[in-house]
Amino acid sequence: MMKIYTKKGDKGQTRIIGKKIVDKDDARVESYGTVDELNSWVGYTISVLTPETAVLKDELEGIQQLLFDAGTDLATLNDDPKRSFIFNVDSVKWLEGKIDTYTEAVPAVQKFILPGGNQPASALHVARTITRRAERHIVTLQGEDDINKDVLVFINRLSDYFFAVARYANMLGKNEDILYRNSKPVFR
Amino acid sequence: MMKIYTKKGDKGQTRIIGKKIVDKDDARVESYGTVDELNSWVGYTISVLTPETAVLKDELEGIQQLLFDAGTDLATLNDDPKRSFIFNVDSVKWLEGKIDTYTEAVPAVQKFILPGGNQPASALHVARTITRRAERHIVTLQGEDDINKDVLVFINRLSDYFFAVARYANMLGKNEDILYRNSKPVFR
Amino acid sequence: MMKIYTKKGDKGQTRIIGKKIVDKDDARVESYGTVDELNSWVGYTISVLTPETAVLKDELEGIQQLLFDAGTDLATLNDDPKRSFIFNVDSVKWLEGKIDTYTEAVPAVQKFILPGGNQPASALHVARTITRRAERHIVTLQGEDDINKDVLVFINRLSDYFFAVARYANMLGKNEDILYRNSKPVFR
Ligand code: B12
Ligand code: B12
Ligand code: B12
Ligand SMILES: C[C@H]1O[C@@H](n2cnc3c(N)ncnc32)[C@H](O)[C@@H]1O
Ligand SMILES: C[C@H]1O[C@@H](n2cnc3c(N)ncnc32)[C@H](O)[C@@H]1O
Ligand SMILES: C[C@H]1O[C@@H](n2cnc3c(N)ncnc32)[C@H](O)[C@@H]1O
Ligand SMILES: [Mg+2]
Ligand SMILES: [Mg+2]
Ligand SMILES: [Mg+2]
């Protein structure tokens, strides 16, 4: 039987792709660790889809696949002599198309909305904020080492995608967004 | 159609209120970003309320509104010449009243309890710990820059509110709290 | 009536076990605060168990108990003259037995799998990644101060446990794992 516990990381260090050893609290490990947390949350979100929102399943699974690609690049050194980055701007374009579609389908808003609604929509708002947490860690990593910049663009766009699709999930479930009562007209 | 993706943040910087530009991993952005994550989690919690706990809906929505107010202040510079803080101590008093009500309604405990129970109660315990994570980031921000101190007091009290209301949600659902088996009598 | 809000922490500092005062964003408080978040998430996971996966309830509750023990040690100074660490390697051995059992029960995989599946399994994958986040904070703490090293070993093993039990929960629910499409054969 294969053992997944190799005990190698018991003292707080681990290997990235290419076998370099780093501390587990390295900005690089933080980055792909948070992408893994996001990926798991997307898996959880899929598991709470309702019949009305089930149409989103394949797309969210596609995002899980892309998050693994993003994680691979984050775990790879820019100057690794044997490997090059795999993530590219096509995934950004794909997301932008989805954002446009969903934004056109829902009623326009000028004010901030409360992140919530039905269960899938609320889970998608949580995904939005975990994506932004991952982005913050990737920005820290970028300050220390070279990264694949397309990954950062993708993650930035991904949080806007989750905003758009959360609103769409509420529309599918016939839930109306609630406005932040003290909001200025921020979306223009 | 309005585009929510402005592409301005694709390189890792962003604007706070008043248009100052900062890195996305700035303690200020971490703080209101985590408040946004908490806000989304509260939205999710509302979405899993059961008939027995549905009485909590309006109150939790009120907390979402207050979290936006708190976020606005965290995104504003103390010395911004055009804006002043909006959050004040009334919200703290309101929370304290709620905590007292719920604490009186549930059986007293002396020992730590396992965070769990029915689904709404468990989600409220998770909210409690995300609130405390937000508090830690706000404390870091406070070490770097002046903040609205009432926001910090509110967030501290909010985690105690979530503890009290989680216990109340378990009572509403007729779930008994399970004690931490090695606990000393810590609540006095 | 006992008041849980003592107002002592309103300015951003708090006490650890033994009464030493630290900032709330201290690596020590980050560590046991994240263990508390994980503990709450495990509580939430228990609350979404289905009839097919209900067999996991007692075991997960046992893990909540152990997480409290781990948190106690993390909140205690190594050189505290009155207290010694309580967590020991028996809990690690117990976890390893569980990992072996679950790994043998599920179909072997060579490639990374998408973290997801049914609701309990997906929640267990999220637990896996929060465990790893806690581990990263504990590694930071270890760089600053002496800790109980068995806690770190336990937390490392715990994320592998959650991987194994997530796969087991999918098997119980008759859900098949989906492979990461670009995965190399990483499990050997
Ligand atoms: C990055 C990484 C992750 C990332 C993955 C993804 C991502 N993209 O975001 C994250 C953080 C999500 C992750 C999670 C986990 N991981 Co991981 N991960 C790694 C790591 C560092 C690299 C894996 C990888 O992407 N390799 C792909 C390619 C690019 O790497 P490569 O080495 O260059 O590939 C070459 C060789 O593989 C060779 N090759 C290719 N095919 C074959 C076939 C054979 C037979 C041979 C001999 C060679 C060979 O040619 C390739 C091209 O050059 C490895 C450790 C390591 N340094 O290898 C652990 C590793 C694979 N992970 C491991 C484990 C246990 C896990 C988790 C279960 C941990 C947990 N408890 O959460 C989870 C499982 C996640 C899941 N959903 O399935 C273990 C597996 C142990 C085992 N028994 O095999 C490893 C080996 C680490 C360790 N402990 O030593 N992981
Ligand atoms: C703070 C902030 C947030 C916080 C908000 C809340 C909080 N309180 O915690 C958080 C982090 C939650 C957030 C989230 C999001 N945000 Co935001 N956010 C901002 C930010 C920095 C300030 C907004 C604000 O509070 N303004 C209120 C007042 C105080 O600001 P003000 O400028 O001083 O207001 C003056 C003017 O507005 C003027 N004014 C008032 N009314 C009008 C009307 C007209 C017609 C005119 C011309 C002027 C005017 O007078 C006001 C008083 O002085 C702006 C960027 C910026 N610097 O403005 C982005 C911004 C509004 N956000 C944006 C986006 C996209 C989002 C998200 C969708 C991102 C995401 N994917 O998650 C979410 C949506 C959240 C939701 N639930 O709806 C975009 C909107 C883009 C667009 N097309 O309009 C902006 C513009 C940032 C950007 N990309 O450039 N955000
Ligand atoms: C560590 C800690 C936590 C950890 C706990 C666990 C862990 N293991 O991971 C975490 C972060 C999870 C936590 C959470 C919370 N905590 Co706390 N926590 C503490 C802390 C720092 C230590 C508690 C502890 O473990 N004591 C155990 C032993 C080892 O400590 P000890 O002092 O050495 O024990 C001696 C004495 O107690 C004495 N003794 C024993 N029995 C008795 C009996 C009597 C009558 C007397 C006089 C003496 C006595 O002998 C013991 C052995 O030497 C205390 C503050 C402090 N410094 O004491 C707060 C404290 C207990 N927590 C408090 C609160 C409010 C909470 C939360 C509700 C906060 C929140 N909103 O989330 C939650 C509740 C969690 C739950 N699920 O029940 C408050 C309780 C206030 C009150 N009215 O009593 C305290 C007192 C902090 C404060 N505000 O001042 N907490
Ligand atoms: C909508 C607003 O959110 C803030 N913002 C931009 N990126 C992030 C992130 N990763 N995390 C938290 N907040 C962010 C900026 O202030 C932006 O203007
Ligand atoms: C109940 C105990 O929790 C700890 N504590 C207080 N505030 C926080 C926070 N924001 N995050 C984590 N732990 C905290 C202190 O040690 C307190 O005594
Ligand atoms: C499976 C892979 O996950 C990474 N790894 C090991 N520990 C952690 C952690 N606590 N958080 C995030 N990533 C981690 C290492 O790169 C390991 O090889
Ligand atoms: Mg953005
Ligand atoms: Mg407190
Ligand atoms: Mg490990």
Side-chain angles (χ1 to χ4, degrees):
Chain A
M1 181 198 58
M2 178 209 72
K3 298 230 184 210
I4 49 169
Y5 55 98
T6 58
K7 306 191 183 183
K8 289 194 185 141
D10 281 353
K11 292 189 173 150
Q13 292 197 312
T14 194
R15 285 172 194 275
I16 61 173
I17 294 178
K19 314 294 183 217
K20 189 189 159 193
I21 295 179
V22 298
D23 289 339
K24 284 183 180 177
D25 64 346
D26 188 280
R28 184 175 296 282
V29 183
E30 282 287 354
S31 294
Y32 61 78
T34 309
V35 169
D36 188 17
E37 182 175 346
L38 171 60
N39 203 156
S40 300
W41 181 260
V42 176
Y44 181 78
T45 302
I46 293 172
S47 82
V48 299
L49 290 176
T50 50
E52 284 139 337
T53 53
V55 63
L56 299 173
K57 183 171 190 291
D58 290 352
E59 184 170 306
L60 291 173
E61 217 173 274
I63 284 170
Q64 288 194 289
Q65 296 284 359
L66 290 172
L67 285 172
F68 257 107
D69 290 344
T72 303
D73 278 359
L74 290 170
T76 305
L77 289 173
N78 183 32
D79 55 9
D80 185 316
K82 294 199 199 152
R83 296 164 196 82
S84 45
F85 293 139
I86 57 175
F87 204 87
N88 68 61
V89 84
D90 292 349
S91 312
V92 175
K93 295 270 164 264
W94 177 75
L95 274 184
E96 290 176 355
K98 295 287 176 191
I99 298 174
D100 292 346
T101 305
Y102 295 136
T103 306
E104 278 173 49
V106 301
V109 277
Q110 289 215 292
K111 300 191 172 187
F112 283 128
I113 56 165
L114 297 190
N118 56 46
Q119 196 179 353
S122 306
L124 289 164
H125 271 296
V126 174
R128 178 181 64 77
T129 60
I130 302 177
T131 305
R132 287 156 73 85
R133 173 150 54 88
E135 185 184 31
R136 299 193 295 272
H137 284 299
I138 298 169
V139 167
T140 302
L141 172 61
Q142 182 187 236
E144 297 179 4
D145 215 342
D146 284 343
I147 62 163
N148 180 348
K149 291 180 199 317
D150 293 333
V151 169
L152 187 57
V153 177
F154 176 78
I155 293 290
N156 186 18
R157 211 66 83 253
L158 186 61
S159 67
D160 290 336
Y161 162 84
F162 281 127
F163 180 76
V165 73
R167 298 200 64 215
Y168 187 69
N170 272 331
M171 198 202 71
L172 291 175
K174 306 209 187 329
N175 291 66
E176 270 180 47
D177 279 315
I178 300 170
L179 300 178
Y180 165 38
R181 64 185 168 208
N182 294 330
S183 183
K184 302 275 161 50
V186 291
F187 296 116
R188 302 181 200 151
Chain B
M1 180 196 60
M2 180 208 72
K3 297 230 184 210
I4 49 169
Y5 54 98
T6 58
K7 306 190 183 183
K8 288 194 186 140
D10 281 352
K11 291 187 175 153
Q13 293 196 312
T14 194
R15 285 171 194 275
I16 60 173
I17 294 177
K19 315 293 184 219
K20 190 190 159 193
I21 295 179
V22 298
D23 288 340
K24 285 183 180 177
D25 64 346
D26 188 280
R28 183 173 296 283
V29 183
E30 281 288 352
S31 293
Y32 60 80
T34 309
V35 169
D36 188 17
E37 183 175 345
L38 170 60
N39 203 156
S40 301
W41 181 260
V42 176
Y44 181 78
T45 302
I46 293 172
S47 82
V48 300
L49 291 176
T50 50
E52 284 139 337
T53 53
V55 64
L56 300 173
K57 182 172 191 292
D58 291 352
E59 184 170 304
L60 291 173
E61 217 172 274
I63 284 169
Q64 288 194 289
Q65 296 283 359
L66 290 171
L67 285 173
F68 256 107
D69 291 344
T72 302
D73 278 0
L74 290 171
T76 305
L77 289 172
N78 184 30
D79 55 7
D80 186 316
K82 295 200 198 150
R83 296 163 195 84
S84 45
F85 292 140
I86 56 175
F87 204 88
N88 68 61
V89 85
D90 292 349
S91 312
V92 174
K93 295 271 164 261
W94 177 75
L95 274 185
E96 291 176 355
K98 296 286 175 191
I99 298 173
D100 291 348
T101 306
Y102 294 137
T103 305
E104 278 173 49
V106 300
V109 277
Q110 289 215 293
K111 299 192 172 185
F112 284 129
I113 56 166
L114 296 190
N118 56 46
Q119 195 179 355
S122 305
L124 289 164
H125 271 295
V126 174
R128 178 180 65 76
T129 60
I130 302 177
T131 305
R132 286 156 75 84
R133 173 149 54 86
E135 185 185 30
R136 299 193 295 272
H137 284 299
I138 298 169
V139 167
T140 302
L141 171 60
Q142 182 186 236
E144 296 179 6
D145 215 342
D146 284 344
I147 63 161
N148 180 348
K149 291 181 198 319
D150 293 333
V151 169
L152 188 57
V153 177
F154 176 77
I155 294 289
N156 186 17
R157 209 67 82 255
L158 186 61
S159 68
D160 290 335
Y161 162 84
F162 281 127
F163 181 76
V165 72
R167 299 200 64 215
Y168 187 69
N170 271 332
M171 198 203 71
L172 291 174
K174 305 207 188 332
N175 291 68
E176 271 180 47
D177 279 317
I178 301 169
L179 301 178
Y180 165 38
R181 64 185 170 209
N182 293 331
S183 183
K184 304 274 160 48
V186 290
F187 297 116
R188 305 185 198 147
Chain C
M1 180 199 59
M2 179 210 73
K3 298 231 183 209
I4 49 168
Y5 54 98
T6 58
K7 307 192 183 182
K8 288 193 185 141
D10 282 353
K11 292 188 173 150
Q13 293 197 311
T14 194
R15 283 171 196 276
I16 60 172
I17 294 177
K19 315 291 185 221
K20 189 188 158 194
I21 295 180
V22 298
D23 289 339
K24 285 184 181 178
D25 63 346
D26 189 280
R28 184 174 296 283
V29 183
E30 282 287 354
S31 294
Y32 61 79
T34 309
V35 169
D36 188 15
E37 182 176 344
L38 171 60
N39 203 155
S40 300
W41 182 260
V42 176
Y44 180 78
T45 302
I46 292 172
S47 82
V48 300
L49 291 177
T50 50
E52 284 139 337
T53 53
V55 63
L56 300 173
K57 181 170 191 293
D58 290 353
E59 185 171 304
L60 291 173
E61 217 172 273
I63 284 169
Q64 288 194 289
Q65 296 283 359
L66 290 172
L67 285 173
F68 257 107
D69 291 345
T72 302
D73 278 0
L74 290 171
T76 305
L77 289 173
N78 183 32
D79 55 8
D80 185 317
K82 294 199 199 153
R83 295 165 197 83
S84 44
F85 292 140
I86 57 175
F87 203 89
N88 68 60
V89 83
D90 292 349
S91 311
V92 175
K93 295 269 164 263
W94 177 75
L95 274 185
E96 290 176 354
K98 295 287 175 190
I99 298 173
D100 292 347
T101 305
Y102 294 136
T103 305
E104 278 173 50
V106 300
V109 277
Q110 289 215 294
K111 299 191 173 186
F112 284 129
I113 56 166
L114 296 190
N118 56 47
Q119 196 179 354
S122 306
L124 289 164
H125 271 295
V126 174
R128 178 180 64 76
T129 60
I130 302 177
T131 306
R132 287 156 75 84
R133 172 149 57 86
E135 185 184 31
R136 299 192 295 271
H137 283 300
I138 298 169
V139 167
T140 302
L141 172 60
Q142 182 187 237
E144 297 178 5
D145 215 342
D146 283 344
I147 62 162
N148 180 348
K149 291 182 199 316
D150 293 334
V151 169
L152 188 58
V153 178
F154 176 76
I155 294 290
N156 186 18
R157 210 67 83 251
L158 186 61
S159 67
D160 290 335
Y161 163 83
F162 281 127
F163 181 77
V165 73
R167 298 201 64 214
Y168 187 69
N170 271 331
M171 198 203 71
L172 291 174
K174 304 207 190 331
N175 291 65
E176 270 179 48
D177 279 316
I178 300 170
L179 300 178
Y180 165 37
R181 63 185 169 208
N182 293 331
S183 183
K184 303 273 159 52
V186 291
F187 296 115
R188 306 185 198 146

